[in-house]
Amino acid sequence: VNIVKIGGNIVDNEDALHLFLSTIAQQSPCIIVHGGGKVATEIANKLGVESVMVEGRRITDKNTLEIATMVYGGLINKKIVAILQSFNTNAIGMTGADANCIVAKKRPVKDIDYGYVGDIELVHTEFLISCLKQNITPVMASLTHDKKGSLLNTNADTIAAQIAMAIAKTENTRLVYCFEKNGVLADANDNKSVIRTLNAQTYNELLLSGAIHKGMKPKLENAFLAKKSGVHKVFICHADSVHQPEQGTEIL
Amino acid sequence: VNIVKIGGNIVDNEDALHLFLSTIAQQSPCIIVHGGGKVATEIANKLGVESVMVEGRRITDKNTLEIATMVYGGLINKKIVAILQSFNTNAIGMTGADANCIVAKKRPVKDIDYGYVGDIELVHTEFLISCLKQNITPVMASLTHDKKGSLLNTNADTIAAQIAMAIAKTENTRLVYCFEKNGVLADANDNKSVIRTLNAQTYNELLLSGAIHKGMKPKLENAFLAKKSGVHKVFICHADSVHQPEQGTEIL
């Protein structure tokens, strides 16, 4: 089973999104996980809802959760599904609430109150696998739920990793993080400096030396966790290379 | 198979929606179809997008379609799913694009250009029936797609009727329209004047005499078309009576 996560920069760009989905259509059925991009912030601004970010994470108050639900779960999710259908790839848009796929717990308040942000507790894979067997590609927005009636905002990289980990228990699984760079770079300013393979030890060394960009940390920690937890193959690559992720970085 | 359509007035009212869904949870799995309510108009106003209505139908330009996708396909749809999950009713939120369930054609421009409004061409029931067999309740927003990459706005009463008609080909099917009145009323101002049973001939007579409120016409035409096309039972009733729709009007 292929699990592919696409980043906000692809989602934001109509042409890049079409190109990406036309490639993905040839690998379907697979599981797609998508984040939000700038649209949510733009719409929040227009609606007069302020976006507060702490350490790269959006603080999700009630209004922000509604906007995330509209934009991630509605606008972007359904746009992806409609485009895939035009390529004759059957797809179904979902959040973690749908078919009870991803149950999360509202993050406990410590130093920061993240608001309606969910830490994943459980991934139910039966429905996802049933879709794949029906040749249907699940398209998952970065939302989970608490089983008590509330949706929760959850990082898309984390969702992709947790789905892959849950599916890896029964299926051969490949997780591919697609974004706008060619892979994990030894020099953040040189898109040709792709690190072909990266293991946990080298990662920690490169992180300490400051070679790896800090912004890559959450994605890489998810990638290493997935690999350590039984996901068979994990890659980080450019969206244009989704059909041959070996051109990016393989996580070992 | 039970197909239940809920109107905008229930969707708009948090308490009424909870009450309704707690009742529906006891009849699940079923298929729920929901409309939009006032939220879409409110958000459109905030975003500076004007809502143009002609003969009770929203004219759907590009911006309006995006708002419908956000509000119907995202906000309302996922709210319903999350509430159902809290009642231990497994549900999946969908539009007609998801699993390619409802293919429509952009309405041809005659006197009026309705914009991105879809007239249904085909309902694929396999996925819906597969969900019901997995004990999952499909929750359908009032959006279809053209299979060319675009979503289309489609009347929720029509979607409910067309799904019921398609499923009635293989299953015993009941279609229930729930709204804020007790049924079809002989006197629009007297909620106790419920017409218990209504056949096509009486309907036409009451329509000509002006007894039946004009606003009921689209719903009733969908209801009669469904009944004529093989749906076994068709009711129009108050949302509070969804567990015993016989208290409203049965369409014969």
Side-chain angles (χ1 to χ4, degrees):
Chain A
V1 176
N2 257 333
I3 292 102
V4 179
K5 190 261 169 170
I6 49 174
N9 284 342
I10 304 154
V11 166
D12 279 334
N13 181 326
E14 197 95 3
D15 290 340
L17 183 63
H18 265 85
L19 183 65
F20 177 82
L21 293 174
S22 70
T23 310
I24 278 287
Q26 291 159 39
Q27 303 187 15
S28 64
C30 59
I31 298 174
I32 298 174
V33 180
H34 66 87
K38 289 179 203 139
V39 199
T41 312
E42 279 168 21
I43 289 177
N45 288 342
K46 281 190 196 165
L47 292 174
V49 175
E50 268 182 66
S51 292
V52 182
M53 306 288 283
V54 174
E55 294 177 12
R57 287 167 193 269
R58 198 186 296 275
I59 300 293
T60 308
D61 62 9
K62 190 104 191 158
N63 286 330
T64 305
L65 179 67
E66 295 210 333
I67 288 165
T69 308
M70 291 196 293
V71 177
Y72 306 162
L75 191 60
I76 295 170
N77 190 263
K78 299 314 172 191
K79 183 184 279 187
I80 291 173
V81 169
I83 295 171
L84 284 172
Q85 297 290 2
S86 76
F87 296 137
N88 281 318
T89 293
N90 204 352
I92 180 155
M94 305 178 62
T95 67
D98 295 291
N100 195 26
C101 276
I102 313 177
V103 182
K105 194 178 165 178
K106 192 165 178 288
R107 185 169 300 165
V109 179
K110 290 179 192 161
D111 298 343
I112 304 170
D113 183 356
Y114 286 101
Y116 293 92
V117 166
D119 294 319
I120 295 173
E121 292 195 309
L122 205 59
V123 177
H124 289 116
T125 60
E126 305 90 317
F127 182 79
L128 297 172
I129 289 172
S130 142
C131 287
L132 296 172
K133 281 187 182 154
Q134 293 175 75
N135 207 22
I136 296 172
T137 289
V139 179
M140 183 70 69
S142 52
L143 292 158
T144 58
H145 78 130
D146 65 0
K147 199 82 171 65
K148 296 175 198 157
S150 181
L151 293 155
L152 294 168
N153 210 347
T154 298
N155 179 274
D157 287 344
T158 307
I159 288 183
Q162 295 284 335
I163 290 178
M165 285 155 58
I167 290 187
K169 287 177 190 166
T170 55
E171 317 277 334
N172 196 305
T173 300
R174 185 174 81 168
L175 170 62
V176 181
Y177 286 107
C178 293
F179 70 150
E180 70 283 7
K181 307 230 162 171
N182 285 346
V184 183
L185 303 179
D187 172 358
N189 298 315
D190 179 6
N191 213 353
K192 285 181 183 158
S193 67
V194 175
I195 302 168
R196 288 289 160 197
T197 60
L198 190 60
N199 62 27
Q201 197 193 327
T202 315
Y203 165 59
N204 282 321
E205 288 166 13
L206 289 173
L207 199 66
L208 282 174
S209 76
I212 287 180
H213 192 269
K214 239 176 111 181
M216 286 294 289
K217 211 178 143 184
K219 193 189 293 298
L220 277 162
E221 309 230 308
N222 276 303
F224 277 109
L225 177 62
K227 181 64 188 165
K228 204 174 70 180
S229 307
V231 177
H232 303 78
K233 289 275 186 184
V234 180
F235 294 97
I236 298 178
C237 69
H238 195 284
D240 294 347
S241 304
V242 62
H243 59 300
Q244 36 191 170
E246 306 79 16
Q247 298 198 341
T249 302
E250 178 166 10
I251 303 298
L252 298 178
Chain B
V1 176
N2 255 333
I3 292 102
V4 179
K5 190 260 169 172
I6 50 173
N9 284 342
I10 304 153
V11 166
D12 280 334
N13 182 327
E14 196 95 2
D15 290 341
L17 183 62
H18 265 85
L19 184 65
F20 178 81
L21 293 175
S22 69
T23 311
I24 278 286
Q26 291 159 40
Q27 303 187 15
S28 63
C30 60
I31 297 174
I32 299 175
V33 181
H34 65 87
K38 288 177 204 142
V39 198
T41 313
E42 279 167 21
I43 288 177
N45 288 342
K46 281 190 195 165
L47 292 174
V49 175
E50 268 182 66
S51 292
V52 182
M53 307 287 284
V54 174
E55 292 175 14
R57 286 169 194 265
R58 198 186 297 274
I59 301 292
T60 308
D61 62 9
K62 190 105 192 161
N63 287 329
T64 306
L65 179 66
E66 295 211 334
I67 289 166
T69 307
M70 291 196 292
V71 177
Y72 306 163
L75 191 61
I76 296 170
N77 190 263
K78 299 313 170 190
K79 184 184 277 185
I80 291 173
V81 169
I83 295 171
L84 285 171
Q85 297 290 2
S86 76
F87 296 137
N88 282 317
T89 293
N90 204 352
I92 180 156
M94 304 178 63
T95 67
D98 294 291
N100 196 24
C101 276
I102 312 176
V103 182
K105 194 178 164 176
K106 191 165 179 287
R107 185 169 300 163
V109 179
K110 290 180 192 162
D111 299 343
I112 304 170
D113 182 357
Y114 286 101
Y116 293 91
V117 166
D119 294 319
I120 294 173
E121 291 196 309
L122 203 59
V123 177
H124 289 116
T125 61
E126 305 91 316
F127 183 78
L128 298 172
I129 289 172
S130 144
C131 287
L132 296 171
K133 283 188 181 154
Q134 293 175 75
N135 207 24
I136 296 173
T137 290
V139 178
M140 184 71 70
S142 51
L143 292 158
T144 58
H145 78 131
D146 64 1
K147 199 80 170 67
K148 295 176 201 159
S150 181
L151 293 154
L152 295 167
N153 210 349
T154 298
N155 180 276
D157 287 344
T158 305
I159 287 182
Q162 294 286 335
I163 290 178
M165 285 155 59
I167 290 187
K169 287 177 189 165
T170 54
E171 317 278 333
N172 197 305
T173 300
R174 184 174 82 168
L175 171 63
V176 181
Y177 286 106
C178 293
F179 70 151
E180 71 282 7
K181 307 230 162 170
N182 285 346
V184 183
L185 303 178
D187 172 358
N189 298 316
D190 179 5
N191 212 354
K192 286 180 183 156
S193 67
V194 175
I195 301 168
R196 289 289 161 198
T197 59
L198 190 59
N199 63 27
Q201 197 193 328
T202 315
Y203 164 60
N204 283 321
E205 287 166 15
L206 289 173
L207 199 66
L208 281 174
S209 77
I212 287 181
H213 193 268
K214 238 175 113 181
M216 286 294 290
K217 211 178 145 186
K219 194 188 293 297
L220 278 161
E221 309 228 310
N222 276 303
F224 276 109
L225 176 63
K227 181 66 188 162
K228 205 175 66 178
S229 308
V231 177
H232 303 80
K233 290 275 186 185
V234 181
F235 294 97
I236 297 177
C237 69
H238 196 284
D240 295 347
S241 305
V242 62
H243 58 303
Q244 39 191 169
E246 307 77 15
Q247 297 197 344
T249 302
E250 178 165 9
I251 303 298
L252 298 179

